[in-house]
Amino acid sequence: YNEYKSYLSFLSLMVIMLTVILPLIASLFPTIATSCKTVNGVHGACKLRLNYFTLAGSHNAGAGAYGLMYWYSGGVAPSCNIRNQDKSITEQLELGIRYFDFDVSYLDTSSSDWWEKGIVLVHCNDNTCAYSRSLKRAMKEIDTFMGKQRDAVVVLRFKDHPSATRDKIGANLKTEVEQELRHVKLSNDANPYLKDAINRNRRLFVFANGGFHPQLPLLPLRQVESYARAYRSENCFTSDDIVNALLKDSRAKSSTYPLQVDWYSTGLCLWDQAGYCDGTMLHRLVDVNKKMVQKVHRPINLVLIDYVGKGNIRLSDIVREINDYNVYMF
């Protein structure tokens, strides 16, 4: 009887461990992977590689994400040609943005709550920079969101920067990105199958300028861009403008290089220009994608726009249509 009673006590203890202790352990290690069913809400995309999928992107994503921007002297920078966004990083994610283009600099000291030491989000013209907030703040927002959205695949690009800060950015970028991650891990593969990225919870991709000497899990930045142009009217890109710009680069035929559409332009205030181009004209991107599939047998991968929430049509809705086509074709 005593042996039977001991056995029952043992079973009770095991039940307590399964119902109480294991969930506690799981909460301490939230990066446990899940099985791929959708990718950014797209059914059927688990079979695709990253470079056969399309992401909605935010140009200069940090420039305006925390409100007004400031010169280092403390003066307010003019929003007309400095701010590219007016939504927080979290709000951009909620609008379906999954590709963030970050211009960055480096601050050697902290002098107030605003001026935080380390890598900072900026928008620079001729090495004169307007400052936003720290990269760490943006990374926290991205990590928190991805912890809730388990099918989210997100790409970050670190390209433009003041040349004088290049070495310090390169020395600190990996640490400042990784130290804020609690719910997701960085991918060390530049073009995996999306099902593997999700199943292993390596859903965050960081591509960095070669001048930063990126080391794994940071990935060297290699891409084909359509590039923006200066407009001083309400003219926007035609689909042939974009296709021809991409095809000028012979690397467009290689799936090693992501294809990026720069759907933004300069000339007018950035807010005004986004208003002209980010409405119904966004649907031209569907045609761009179909033409690239016809000509080089691969889709566009990244689309960058200013002021992601301004248009009456969301870029993410256009990208969803593009990805449905990608799933069908590939």
Side-chain angles (χ1 to χ4, degrees):
Y1 173 77
N2 289 336
E3 290 181 355
Y4 179 70
K5 187 175 181 180
S6 298
Y7 178 68
L8 289 178
S9 297
F10 174 75
L11 288 179
S12 298
L13 179 62
M14 292 300 294
V15 170
I16 292 173
M17 288 182 64
L18 290 172
T19 58
V20 178
I21 298 177
L22 289 182
L24 177 61
I25 293 174
S27 69
L28 296 174
F29 298 94
T31 57
I32 295 174
T34 55
S35 178
C36 184
K37 297 180 177 63
T38 59
V39 182
N40 294 345
V42 179
H43 291 276
C46 296
K47 68 178 181 178
L48 300 178
R49 286 189 179 273
L50 179 62
N51 286 353
Y52 280 82
F53 194 66
T54 307
L55 301 177
S58 172
H59 175 230
N60 274 356
Y66 297 95
L68 294 173
M69 300 182 69
Y70 295 86
W71 306 121
Y72 194 66
S73 63
V76 176
S79 294
C80 174
N81 59 353
I82 292 295
R83 288 184 67 178
N84 298 85
Q85 307 298 337
D86 63 348
K87 303 294 184 185
S88 71
I89 300 301
T90 299
E91 288 172 331
Q92 292 181 46
L93 285 160
E94 291 171 345
L95 286 167
I97 296 302
R98 297 294 182 267
Y99 174 47
F100 291 87
D101 167 47
F102 287 130
D103 287 9
V104 290
S105 187
Y106 191 88
L107 292 176
D108 287 307
T109 59
S110 298
S111 57
S112 68
D113 178 61
W114 182 272
W115 302 106
E116 301 171 74
K117 180 179 179 180
I119 299 175
V120 61
L121 307 175
V122 298
H123 188 175
C124 300
N125 293 319
D126 300 323
N127 257 16
T128 300
C129 296
Y131 291 80
S132 183
R133 303 307 298 269
S134 67
L135 172 62
K136 297 173 188 176
R137 291 175 181 264
M139 292 308 306
K140 286 179 182 178
E141 292 187 59
I142 292 168
D143 177 68
T144 298
F145 180 89
M146 295 187 74
K148 297 174 182 177
Q149 297 289 330
R150 305 294 295 192
D151 78 334
V153 170
V154 175
V155 172
L156 311 182
R157 178 176 83 158
F158 296 94
K159 180 186 176 185
D160 295 337
H161 61 284
S163 58
T165 64
R166 181 175 302 146
D167 290 343
K168 288 184 178 179
I169 295 171
N172 291 277
L173 183 58
K174 180 176 180 292
T175 299
E176 292 204 18
V177 167
E178 287 192 309
Q179 70 184 8
E180 304 301 334
L181 300 182
R182 303 290 185 272
H183 303 93
V184 67
K185 294 179 283 189
L186 296 181
S187 175
N188 53 17
D189 185 345
N191 188 27
Y193 285 103
L194 294 174
K195 64 180 180 181
D196 292 336
I198 288 179
N199 291 344
R200 298 168 184 169
N201 201 30
R202 294 190 175 274
R203 301 177 284 126
L204 182 60
F205 297 78
V206 176
F207 292 90
N209 188 311
F212 300 147
H213 306 291
Q215 296 182 351
L216 290 176
L218 304 188
L219 303 163
L221 179 63
R222 299 188 181 99
Q223 59 185 191
V224 174
E225 291 188 60
S226 67
Y227 290 107
R229 66 181 66 177
Y231 280 122
R232 297 190 180 276
S233 72
E234 57 188 70
N235 292 324
C236 287
F237 307 98
T238 68
S239 59
D240 285 339
D241 285 338
I242 300 296
V243 171
N244 292 335
L246 291 171
L247 292 178
K248 284 181 181 178
D249 192 323
S250 62
R251 299 174 301 171
K253 298 179 181 179
S254 171
S255 62
T256 302
Y257 297 90
L259 299 177
Q260 176 171 302
V261 174
D262 293 326
W263 191 265
Y264 58 89
S265 53
T266 59
L268 300 173
C269 282
L270 300 176
W271 169 264
D272 296 324
Q273 197 68 56
Y276 289 134
C277 296
D278 294 353
T280 56
M281 293 185 185
L282 278 175
H283 204 268
R284 295 177 184 177
L285 292 165
V286 174
D287 190 43
V288 170
N289 188 66
K290 289 181 178 179
K291 288 181 178 180
M292 291 304 294
V293 170
Q294 292 168 0
K295 293 178 180 294
V296 293
H297 310 295
R298 53 177 306 213
I300 58 175
N301 307 118
L302 310 161
V303 182
L304 284 181
I305 65 171
D306 287 333
Y307 288 99
V308 299
K310 183 172 185 182
N312 60 333
I313 296 176
R314 287 188 181 182
L315 175 61
S316 58
D317 290 336
I318 300 299
V319 166
R320 174 68 67 88
E321 183 177 346
I322 289 172
N323 277 322
D324 287 340
Y325 179 78
N326 295 342
V327 169
Y328 172 77
M329 292 299 295
F330 302 106

